[in-house]
Amino acid sequence: MDSSQSKGSDIARMIWIVGAPVIFAVGTFGNIMTMIVLSRKRNKPSSTSVFLSAKALFDIVVMVIMLPRWWIIYLTGIDIRHINNFVCKFQFFVNYFSGSIGSFLLAAVTIERAICTAKPYLVKNICTVNIAVIISIALALTACVIHGHMFFGMKLYEVTYKETSETISFPLDSNEKSTNTCEFILDQYFDTKIDPAGEFRFKDYASALNSTTEECIDDLFVKIETNEKLTATKTIKVCWYDDPGYGQYFSGMHQILLAIIFTTILTIFFVGGLIIIKGLQKSRKLRKSMTNTNRQTSGNKPAFDDQARQITVSILFVNALFVLMGIPALIYLNGISAWIDEDTGMTEIQEIMWAVVNMLAYAKHAINFILYFLSGQRFRSQVKETFGCFKNPSAERSKSMPVNRLVSVASSYDLSLKKKPLTE
């Protein structure tokens, strides 16, 4: 949606001016912290950490490149898309690319977590760091291919149109007008403005006029042609497509492709979520049934350790909120042609709605860190360690343990494995 469709609602302006910096601060800080925590040396690299780190990186791109645009528009009246033609194309591309790659990576990590629950013995062979890196790169390239046409189809150009500074009015008082005069008819039914094409819209008014309609219309044109204020022109910049052929593709096949992708991702979220939930329930039952003794003597182990379980729960929350917070903006964008006038732009209510659904859409890229922190005890501990306000007790014991004590502990185990291992 181009900035020229904005009317300047005070409420919408406040939502953008206040809400955007808050989301920017929370999202930028949270995603940077996510990358730091997941890349710590004491964390063993995993396919999950690769996908989540990649998503955090692209979420930072959203915070830095996408979010500030409307904030700047409402704060200064300047649209960064109107800086030059490249910025127009690039910003438009990143808008669609960032939304796609985020959902792609969440779908990938959902599949990975589902495999960990359903087929845990395949994790070491399939869910590796190298494979995760390759998949992440492939998904990014796929998103580039899907939306790369915007570099060729979108452009920055100028539009000049006639602008009306005031509505048609007549000096006669309504009590002095006869219902059979043109002045009365025009005052009642032709209170209108010139549209961008320079033509007049009578809509359904003509059907309400009497037999003097034709004479009244002629009189209206005479009055307007002699009024210089009603024939002023205005030039604005627009970042959009001007090729009708590309417009048909962008509004047709491209939107259908996005709908198919969105449906596929929703299916992955739903089916993968069911598999994960079932696996979590099975793991919980298994942990309850196992005692300390049979954990050492039996060959069966829980399907998840605590860290994997916490990460899996976090992914479920992220997926659910990613969909719920993104759907309002999707519905709004798909319904633009139905309820927003292309000539006059958004009404004040529609502009407020646009601000609200955008805040939700951007917030879904900013809250991942909060969800990881709330749903994962291990993640919280590592965040605290990163800030130096919490130290791992086991690590401290290892540091403070004398060397001779470490040797004594090590000698208590049969390091030569001559005895039968306890896990067999």
Side-chain angles (χ1 to χ4, degrees):
M1 180 177 293
D2 198 75
S3 61
S4 60
Q5 293 178 298
S6 171
K7 281 182 175 259
S9 165
D10 291 336
I11 298 177
R13 181 178 292 105
M14 289 304 299
I15 292 175
W16 279 105
I17 292 178
V18 176
V22 173
I23 294 177
F24 175 85
V26 173
T28 303
F29 171 80
N31 285 302
I32 291 175
M33 284 302 304
T34 298
M35 297 177 65
I36 292 175
V37 171
L38 293 176
S39 61
R40 294 190 66 188
K41 292 182 178 180
R42 66 185 302 266
N43 287 331
K44 183 180 179 180
S46 65
S47 56
T48 301
S49 63
V50 170
F51 290 131
L52 296 183
S53 297
K55 186 180 185 306
L57 175 62
F58 288 115
D59 286 341
I60 293 175
V61 172
V62 174
M63 296 295 107
V64 174
I65 297 180
M66 298 306 306
L67 179 58
R69 180 190 168 225
W70 281 90
W71 180 74
I72 295 175
I73 288 174
Y74 279 102
L75 191 64
T76 66
I78 299 174
D79 190 344
I80 60 175
R81 286 185 180 178
H82 297 167
I83 295 177
N84 56 51
N85 194 42
F86 174 78
V87 174
C88 166
K89 296 173 181 290
F90 178 75
Q91 219 270 350
F92 219 105
F93 165 78
V94 174
N95 183 33
Y96 280 83
F97 171 84
S98 59
S100 295
I101 189 62
S103 58
F104 289 172
L105 290 169
L106 279 181
V109 76
T110 300
I111 294 174
E112 186 255 3
R113 289 288 91 193
I115 294 175
C116 288
T117 62
K119 305 290 183 181
Y121 51 86
L122 296 178
V123 171
K124 292 184 178 180
N125 296 326
I126 298 179
C127 303
T128 64
V129 172
N130 291 336
I131 292 178
V133 171
I134 294 173
I135 292 176
S136 298
I137 295 174
L139 291 177
L141 293 176
T142 301
C144 288
V145 171
I146 294 174
H147 305 297
H149 56 81
M150 295 179 185
F151 280 103
F152 305 96
M154 297 299 174
K155 63 181 296 186
L156 181 65
Y157 58 95
E158 294 183 345
V159 174
T160 301
Y161 64 92
K162 292 182 179 180
E163 183 184 44
T164 305
S165 60
E166 61 186 32
T167 58
I168 308 299
S169 62
F170 298 92
L172 294 177
D173 184 82
S174 59
N175 294 328
E176 299 176 0
K177 297 176 184 178
S178 169
T179 56
N180 294 324
T181 64
C182 285
E183 286 84 354
F184 176 82
I185 295 172
L186 295 174
D187 194 28
Q188 292 294 315
Y189 300 106
F190 285 91
D191 187 14
T192 185
K193 294 183 179 182
I194 301 176
D195 68 7
E199 299 177 354
F200 298 93
R201 297 188 172 202
F202 301 114
K203 298 182 179 179
D204 299 328
Y205 298 142
S207 62
L209 299 179
N210 55 22
S211 59
T212 60
T213 300
E214 185 175 353
E215 292 79 3
C216 289
I217 293 175
D218 292 337
D219 186 42
L220 174 64
F221 274 96
V222 171
K223 290 180 180 295
I224 291 176
E225 288 173 356
T226 58
N227 191 337
E228 295 181 356
K229 292 182 179 180
L230 298 176
T231 58
T233 61
K234 182 178 181 180
T235 300
I236 62 172
K237 291 183 177 180
V238 178
C239 178
W240 196 241
Y241 58 81
D242 63 347
D243 183 1
Y246 177 76
Q248 291 180 354
Y249 171 78
F250 180 78
S251 303
M253 291 300 299
H254 184 249
Q255 300 304 320
I256 293 175
L257 178 60
L258 293 183
I260 294 174
I261 293 174
F262 181 73
T263 303
T264 303
I265 290 175
L266 282 183
T267 303
I268 292 174
F269 285 173
F270 181 75
V271 176
L274 291 179
I275 296 174
I276 290 172
I277 292 173
K278 185 177 179 181
L280 289 173
Q281 292 175 343
K282 181 178 179 181
S283 177
R284 187 183 301 111
K285 292 179 180 179
L286 186 59
R287 285 197 304 272
K288 289 182 179 180
S289 64
M290 294 177 65
T291 62
N292 292 331
T293 303
N294 63 32
R295 280 198 187 99
Q296 296 180 354
T297 58
S298 65
N300 297 323
K301 294 191 296 183
F304 298 103
D305 58 20
D306 288 338
Q307 181 182 8
R309 181 179 59 82
Q310 292 172 12
I311 292 176
T312 304
V313 172
S314 299
I315 296 302
L316 291 177
F317 281 117
V318 171
N319 288 355
L321 289 181
F322 188 88
V323 173
L324 293 177
M325 299 175 74
I327 284 180
L330 185 65
I331 294 175
Y332 191 97
L333 287 172
N334 288 334
I336 282 180
S337 59
W339 57 65
I340 295 182
D341 191 292
E342 293 183 359
D343 299 328
T344 61
M346 292 182 285
T347 65
E348 184 174 353
I349 298 299
Q350 290 169 343
E351 194 173 352
I352 294 172
M353 293 173 58
W354 172 246
V356 172
V357 299
N358 266 276
M359 290 297 102
L360 289 174
Y362 284 119
K364 72 181 182 181
H365 296 280
I367 63 172
N368 295 337
F369 173 79
I370 298 176
L371 294 177
Y372 301 151
F373 188 86
L374 294 177
S375 60
Q377 181 179 359
R378 184 182 178 89
F379 189 87
R380 288 196 298 271
S381 300
Q382 293 179 1
V383 171
K384 294 176 181 178
E385 288 179 21
T386 302
F387 284 103
C389 58
F390 176 83
K391 296 183 179 180
N392 192 316
S394 60
E396 289 298 307
R397 287 195 299 268
S398 297
K399 291 180 181 179
S400 61
M401 188 177 294
V403 176
N404 57 352
R405 174 59 178 162
L406 290 174
V407 173
S408 176
V409 171
S411 63
S412 64
Y413 294 93
D414 187 358
L415 300 180
S416 63
L417 296 180
K418 291 181 180 180
K419 295 182 179 180
K420 185 179 181 181
L422 295 178
T423 57
E424 292 184 359

